[in-house]
């Protein structure tokens, strides 16, 4: 659900608060008990969540998984429409088709508020059964017999009553905003479908279970001047006696109960066509007459471009065989009813948000209200993707501007809503946490795994849960399976955990042994109780080198961490996380504080086959103090080697002088943490990922500790043999053929060319062939 804060909502809450104070508990039962939420651009409008629903008590019922609702066929009539009292009369029937998932199912629990009277309940259209009313909102039908596993039956509920609206306005009757014509409109999220139609649903103010989606047909009879938008495809409009019309809608896509909706008023309507590869789909619009302007029409019609844009991001619109539509209602923002969005605004971001919900919320629905971020965080992030891509070309500046506009001001709650907090609608639909922080979860995940992998995660998640329901663990599993990594750390940190990091950073540019380096220190400085002491994240460091920015990524997973990064030239400026990929509360630049020494190179280099070396040099990024005891050099065959240090005090490099050249063997050089930096006193940061790879240097994981282990080989020097062009150690016909190939220009290998110049005149010609024959007359 997207929304705009409404001042009248604040007034409703203020009035309700006065009622609570002045009228006592009885009046308080019919007063709002939640505070309003306001935000910059988006906020939840909270109204009329009642105490009586909170007083429902647990009762014995079958488990949600013991039944599978296959379809609802709902037929209702709306009469006695009163804007003065804000209600109407509903009368109708709902034929519920149910499959037993129990060996012996004897009851079926559904929800319908007790302001409605059930006039009949029939099994399979014929057998009357009794229905009890154990709580304000819940009914239990006692079945005519026990139904076995996978048996299918119908339960037809006929009911009538005067409506009572709950939540955000689950069934409201009012004048159109800015007009005098009545509108009847529904908005059932989160728990409140029971306020206007009987359906299987979870209890109010608990995490619930939205996974039992079903097909829905909805017929609504209204005064003939009214038009009714609803879910799915319009099957027909029946003209009835008494100046009435019946609108018949049906959907062949499964739908969650809170996404079923209708509205009824004197709409002006128009349609456009969404063309997609292989077909087309109608897009229908329903607008109040007093809002019907060319500008407002064009504003809503942006959804046509959005449909095409989202197709490239998320795959085809998930209900393309039916329709998409937007209808106007009085709620101050939007609501993503499946295939038919309600909007109380013509704001582009709301249209982008609600259309995004058709994938995230409608096609894949949050399994529980604890997982609501899978709906709202995804839709909020979709607004940013729309900003990035709406021109048809990637616009990174627009993307970063959009995500920054949605940065939460309060990071003190978890994106995942704890079960106890699902009793608080403001907590479920918290702008800062569910919407903004939820969107930032995706923003950060994109940076952690990279663009291609991020969008593949979304694709795999869609493929796994399309037209069903998913929870946070399901999305985490999709991310882990797609990346081939356990992503639990990320979800624990950003979804289940609370808080966000604050940073300090310092840097310095140095040149060591002719190579430029960027030295950086990153410290996490947040101290808020309950926050993790360390947040793991890749941090972008954007260095200016020769006037050109170059971005390096530093994996940060310690309270204070040091980095030595080889650069192509001297660094003259540094920006920390310049695009703000990390949800952070602060990032301040301070003077660089030196840290542990890191090994930047060795001679011989890791993995090198060196010709009988007589010394080993170890270069650090800074001067060190060391003793011979801080080093060992061991041959695989020849064993430990003796050596002495040329010097060990305030030196760089440290040189291990050998008494004789190393014999042919493979060697392991170990440097211990006893080597300390002169400027900081800290011990070696020595871990080397791959001992025989130069790419594993500089060493370390960012903090002091860890020995360095480096592997290299000593080999007997090869004495060049004139005419041994392939360096096989002998001269043969292969070498003569290589010489001829070089002479003819067939072989251009630099080594072959150099060794073919046998007479040393810097040219390869016939004289070299003659010189070869003179040396080896057998050829």
């Amino acid at each position: 659900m997207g929304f705009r804060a409404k001042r009248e909502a604040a007034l409703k809450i203020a009035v309700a608060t006065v009622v609570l104070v002045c009228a006592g508990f009885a009046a308080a039962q019919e007063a709002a008990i939640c505070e309003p939420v306001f935000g910059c651009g988006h906020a939840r409008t909270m109204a009329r969540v009642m105490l009586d629903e909170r007083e429902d008590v647990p009762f014995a019922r079958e488990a949600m998984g013991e039944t599978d609702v296959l379809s609802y066929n709902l037929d209702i009539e709306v009469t006695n429409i009163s804007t003065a009292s804000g209600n109407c009369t509903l009368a109708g029937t709902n034929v519920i088709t149910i499959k037993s998932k129990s060996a012996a199912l004897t009851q079926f629990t559904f929800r319908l508020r007790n302001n409605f009277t059930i006039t009949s309940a029939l099994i399979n259209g014929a057998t009357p059964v009794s229905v009890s009313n154990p709580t304000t909102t819940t009914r239990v039908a006692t079945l005519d017999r026990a139904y076995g596993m996978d048996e299918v039956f119908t339960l037809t509920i006929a009911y009538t009553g005067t409506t009572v609206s709950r939540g955000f306005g689950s069934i409201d009757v009012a004048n159109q905003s800015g007009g005098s014509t009545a509108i009847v409109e529904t908005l059932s999220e989160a728990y409140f479908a029971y306020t206007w139609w009987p359906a299987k649903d979870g209890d109010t103010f608990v995490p619930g279970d939205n996974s039992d989606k079903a097909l829905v047909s909805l017929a609504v009879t209204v005064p003939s001047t009214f038009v009714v938008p609803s879910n799915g495809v319009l099957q027909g409009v029946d003209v009835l006696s008494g100046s009435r019309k019946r609108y018949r809608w049906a959907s062949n896509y499964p739908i969650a109960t809170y996404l079923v909706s209708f509205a009824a008023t004197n709409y002006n309507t128009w349609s456009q066509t969404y063309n997609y590869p292989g077909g087309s789909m109608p897009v229908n619009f329903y607008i109040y007459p007093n809002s019907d302007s060319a500008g407002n029409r064009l504003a809503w019609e942006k959804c046509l471009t959005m449909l095409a844009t989202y197709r490239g991001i998320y795959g085809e619109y998930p209900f393309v065989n039916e329709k998409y539509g937007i209808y106007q209602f009085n709620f101050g923002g939007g609501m993503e009813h499946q295939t038919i969005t309600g909007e109380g605004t013509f704001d582009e971001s709301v249209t982008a948000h609600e259309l995004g919900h058709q994938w995230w919320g409608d096609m894949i629905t949050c399994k529980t209200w604890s997982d609501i971020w899978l709906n709202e965080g995804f839709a909020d992030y979709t607004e940013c993707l729309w900003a990035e891509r709406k021109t048809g070309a990637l616009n990174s500046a627009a993307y970063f501007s959009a995500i920054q506009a949605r940065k939460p001001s309060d990071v003190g709650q978890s994106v995942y809503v704890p079960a106890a907090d699902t009793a608080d609608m403001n907590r479920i639909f918290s702008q800062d946490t569910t919407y903004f922080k939820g969107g930032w979860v995706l923003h950060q995940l994109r940076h952690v795994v990279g663009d291609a992998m991020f969008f593949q995660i979304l694709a795999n998640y869609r493929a796994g849960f399309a037209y069903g329901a998913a929870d946070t663990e399901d999305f985490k599993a999709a991310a882990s399976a797609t990346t081939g990594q356990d992503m639990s750390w990320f979800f624990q940190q950003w979804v289940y955990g609370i808080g966000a990091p604050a940073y300090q950073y310092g840097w310095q540019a140095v040149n060591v042994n002719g190579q430029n380096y960027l030295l950086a220190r990153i410290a996490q400085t947040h101290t808020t109780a309950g926050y993790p002491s360390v947040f793991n994240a890749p941090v972008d460091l954007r260095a200016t080198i020769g006037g050109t920015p170059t971005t390096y990524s530093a994996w940060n997973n310690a309270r204070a961490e040091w980095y030595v990064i080889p650069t192509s030239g001297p660094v003259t400026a540094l920006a920390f996380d310049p695009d703000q990929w990390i949800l952070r509360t602060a990032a301040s630049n301070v003077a660089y504080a030196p840290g542990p020494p890191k090994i930047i190179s060795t001679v011989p280099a890791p993995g090198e086959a060196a010709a009988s070396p007589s010394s080993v040099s170890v270069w650090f990024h800074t001067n060190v103090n060391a003793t011979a005891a801080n080093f060992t050099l061991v041959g695989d065959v020849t064993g430990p080697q003796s050596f002495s240090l040329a010097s060990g005090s305030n030196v760089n490099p440290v040189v291990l002088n050998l008494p004789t050249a190393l014999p042919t063997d493979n060697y392991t050089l170990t440097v211990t943490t006893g080597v300390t930096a002169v400027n900081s006193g800290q011990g070696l940061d020595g871990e080397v990922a791959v001992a025989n790879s130069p790419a594993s240097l500089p060493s370390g994981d960012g903090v002091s500790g860890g020995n360095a282990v480096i592997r290299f080989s000593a080999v007997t020097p090869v004495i060049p043999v004139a005419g041994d062009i392939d360096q096989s150690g002998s001269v043969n016909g292969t070498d003569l053929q290589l010489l001829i190939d070089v002479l003819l220009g067939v072989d251009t290998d630099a080594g072959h060319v150099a060794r073919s110049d046998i007479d040393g005149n810097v040219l390869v010609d016939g004289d070299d062939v003659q010189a070869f024959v003179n040396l080896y007359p057998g050829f």
Side-chain angles (χ1 to χ4, degrees):
M1 182 188 290
F3 41 84
R4 293 287 166 190
K6 298 199 313 183
R7 292 293 179 184
E8 56 265 32
L11 180 59
K12 288 181 182 179
I13 302 300
V15 171
T17 304
V18 173
V19 171
L20 279 167
V21 173
C22 300
F25 180 76
Q29 285 186 317
E30 293 301 318
I33 62 170
C34 296
E35 295 298 321
V37 182
F38 295 108
C40 180
H42 289 76
R44 273 287 179 189
T45 303
M46 174 54 70
R48 294 196 303 272
V49 178
M50 304 303 179
L51 280 173
D52 56 352
E53 273 82 0
R54 289 179 183 266
E55 293 178 343
D56 280 358
V57 295
F59 67 97
R61 59 168 292 173
E62 77 281 4
M64 294 287 284
E66 289 190 61
T67 57
D68 176 12
V69 175
L70 303 180
S71 66
Y72 298 102
N73 189 343
L74 180 61
D75 188 340
I76 57 177
E77 181 168 10
V78 183
T79 59
N80 301 322
I81 298 168
S82 172
T83 58
S85 59
N87 56 33
C88 62
T89 299
L90 290 185
T93 61
N94 191 11
V95 181
I96 309 172
T97 303
I98 304 159
K99 178 185 285 189
S100 170
K101 303 304 293 182
S102 167
L105 182 70
T106 59
Q107 68 178 39
F108 177 71
T109 301
F110 62 97
R111 307 197 67 213
L112 183 67
R113 201 174 184 280
N114 64 3
N115 52 291
F116 291 106
T117 299
I118 292 179
T119 56
S120 72
L122 301 175
I123 295 294
N124 295 325
T127 306
V129 294
S130 62
V131 178
S132 62
N133 194 179
T135 76
T136 302
T137 68
T138 308
R139 313 293 182 116
V140 180
T142 301
L143 305 182
D144 57 331
R145 63 176 177 85
Y147 285 81
M149 179 64 70
D150 292 333
E151 278 196 85
V152 176
F153 61 95
T154 64
L155 173 64
T156 301
I157 300 297
Y159 68 106
T160 185
T162 301
T163 58
V164 176
S165 191
R166 292 292 181 260
F168 300 122
S170 58
I171 179 157
D172 266 1
V173 179
N175 288 325
Q176 296 172 8
S177 298
S180 57
T181 301
I183 179 173
V184 181
E185 60 186 22
T186 67
L187 196 165
S188 300
E189 194 177 26
Y191 304 101
F192 305 106
Y194 67 80
T195 61
W196 65 277
W197 69 287
K200 175 186 172 183
D201 221 340
D203 293 332
T204 310
F205 303 125
V206 296
D209 186 344
N210 295 316
S211 60
D212 193 359
K213 295 182 174 183
L215 305 183
V216 174
S217 297
L218 174 57
V220 183
T221 300
V222 293
S224 60
T225 56
F226 283 8
V227 176
V228 177
S230 186
N231 311 96
V233 175
L234 183 62
Q235 306 296 301
V237 179
D238 304 321
V239 178
L240 306 177
S241 62
S243 299
R244 298 175 301 151
K245 287 183 179 178
R246 178 169 57 222
Y247 288 79
R248 292 180 285 108
W249 292 90
S251 177
N252 285 319
Y253 293 101
I255 183 170
T257 55
Y258 76 91
L259 295 171
V260 178
S261 73
F262 78 91
T265 192
N266 65 332
Y267 286 115
N268 289 351
T269 67
W270 80 99
S271 293
Q272 294 288 0
T273 299
Y274 163 57
N275 295 304
Y276 59 90
S280 62
M281 179 192 75
V283 180
N284 302 330
F285 302 94
Y286 304 80
I287 194 169
Y288 298 161
N290 64 357
S291 298
D292 191 358
S293 68
N296 287 343
R297 287 193 175 208
L298 287 173
W300 276 0
E301 286 178 0
K302 288 181 181 179
C303 73
L304 292 159
T305 305
M306 293 174 187
L307 282 162
T309 301
Y310 293 1
R311 181 179 69 234
I313 307 171
Y314 297 150
E316 188 55 83
Y317 172 66
F319 310 106
V320 73
N321 292 328
E322 294 188 347
K323 72 161 191 317
Y324 185 59
I326 301 175
Y327 69 95
Q328 192 171 357
F329 65 174
N330 284 352
F331 183 68
M335 177 62 210
E336 65 276 10
H337 298 126
Q338 191 163 301
T339 72
I340 184 70
T341 287
E343 292 191 24
T345 176
F346 299 90
D347 183 86
E348 181 177 323
S349 64
V350 172
T351 299
H353 181 106
E354 302 306 329
L355 179 58
H357 268 309
Q358 299 298 312
W359 285 263
W360 315 115
D362 294 8
M363 180 179 71
I364 303 178
T365 304
C366 62
K367 187 172 184 179
T368 78
W369 297 111
S370 294
D371 305 292
I372 182 62
W373 80 277
L374 295 173
N375 291 16
E376 299 300 350
F378 277 54
D380 200 72
Y381 188 67
T382 299
E383 296 178 50
C384 302
L385 294 180
W386 167 243
E388 180 184 44
R389 297 161 188 255
K390 67 182 180 179
T391 63
L394 290 179
N395 185 337
S396 296
Y399 169 80
F400 288 118
S401 177
I403 197 69
Q404 285 303 314
R406 291 158 179 80
K407 185 176 181 178
S409 59
D410 179 3
V411 295
Q413 292 182 312
S414 63
V415 171
Y416 182 84
V417 181
D421 289 351
T422 57
D424 181 356
M425 291 275 281
N426 279 331
R427 175 65 177 90
I428 294 173
F429 297 105
S430 164
Q431 172 185 296
D432 261 340
T433 306
T434 297
Y435 289 73
F436 290 172
K437 195 175 180 185
W440 271 74
V441 168
L442 298 176
H443 174 62
Q444 293 179 104
L445 180 61
R446 182 179 180 180
H447 188 231
V448 168
V449 303
D451 266 28
M453 189 66 72
F454 172 73
F455 288 107
Q456 190 60 53
I457 289 171
L458 297 188
N460 292 348
Y461 175 54
R462 291 195 308 274
F465 297 96
Y467 307 105
D471 60 22
T472 300
E473 287 298 295
D474 293 324
F475 183 58
K476 182 182 82 174
S480 296
T482 304
T483 60
Q485 304 173 33
D486 184 357
M487 297 298 293
S488 297
W489 67 270
F490 179 86
F491 284 81
Q492 183 57 48
Q493 179 172 286
W494 292 115
V495 179
Y496 296 114
I498 65 172
Y503 294 100
Q504 285 183 347
Y505 69 98
W507 66 280
Q508 186 176 25
V510 298
N511 185 289
V512 181
N513 195 28
Q515 171 64 53
N516 290 288
Y517 293 92
L518 166 66
L519 310 185
R521 176 182 181 268
I522 299 175
Q524 298 188 26
T525 59
H526 51 276
T527 58
T528 306
Y531 288 16
S533 60
V534 174
F535 287 84
N536 298 339
V539 179
D540 283 355
L541 302 174
R542 187 164 296 159
T544 300
I545 303 169
T548 301
T550 301
T551 300
Y552 301 93
S553 181
W555 180 255
N556 182 232
N557 62 349
R559 191 71 177 171
E561 205 160 3
W562 285 264
Y563 305 87
V564 175
I565 302 170
T567 61
S568 59
V571 175
T572 56
L574 186 74
F576 179 92
D577 185 29
D579 296 320
Q580 295 198 43
W581 281 107
I582 301 171
L583 179 59
R584 51 182 168 83
T585 59
S588 55
N589 188 9
V590 298
Y592 175 75
K598 296 173 181 280
I599 297 172
I600 57 174
S601 64
T602 62
V603 181
E608 181 182 351
S612 300
S614 58
S615 66
V616 175
S617 298
V618 182
W619 283 90
F620 300 86
H621 82 277
T622 186
N623 283 16
V624 298
N625 294 320
T627 67
N630 304 140
F631 301 84
T632 61
L633 182 62
V634 180
D636 291 355
V637 176
T638 56
Q641 305 296 305
S642 61
F643 58 85
S644 61
L645 299 189
S647 177
S649 177
N650 194 14
V651 296
N652 196 21
V654 175
V655 179
L656 286 63
N657 287 322
L658 304 165
T660 61
L662 287 175
T664 298
D665 201 351
N666 297 316
Y667 291 89
T668 300
L669 171 67
T670 302
V671 186
T672 72
T673 56
V675 176
T676 58
V678 172
N679 57 7
S680 71
Q682 294 189 39
L684 176 70
D685 181 10
E687 294 87 353
V688 176
V690 180
N692 62 355
S693 171
S696 293
L697 298 181
S699 67
D701 62 1
V703 295
S704 177
N707 295 341
V709 178
I710 292 169
R711 297 272 292 171
F712 65 89
S713 301
V715 296
T716 301
V718 177
I719 299 174
V721 176
D724 183 15
I725 297 172
D726 63 0
Q727 292 188 308
S728 65
S730 64
V731 179
N732 51 39
T734 301
D735 298 297
L736 179 58
Q737 184 62 53
L738 288 174
L739 173 58
I740 294 170
D741 289 344
V742 169
L743 184 63
L744 296 175
V746 175
D747 186 346
T748 58
D749 178 83
H752 292 172
V753 172
R755 290 187 290 274
S756 294
D757 182 22
I758 298 171
D759 64 1
N761 69 351
V762 197
L763 293 173
V764 179
D765 52 23
D767 292 341
D768 295 294
V769 176
Q770 186 61 54
F772 186 93
V773 172
N774 291 341
L775 288 169
Y776 307 103
F779 289 99

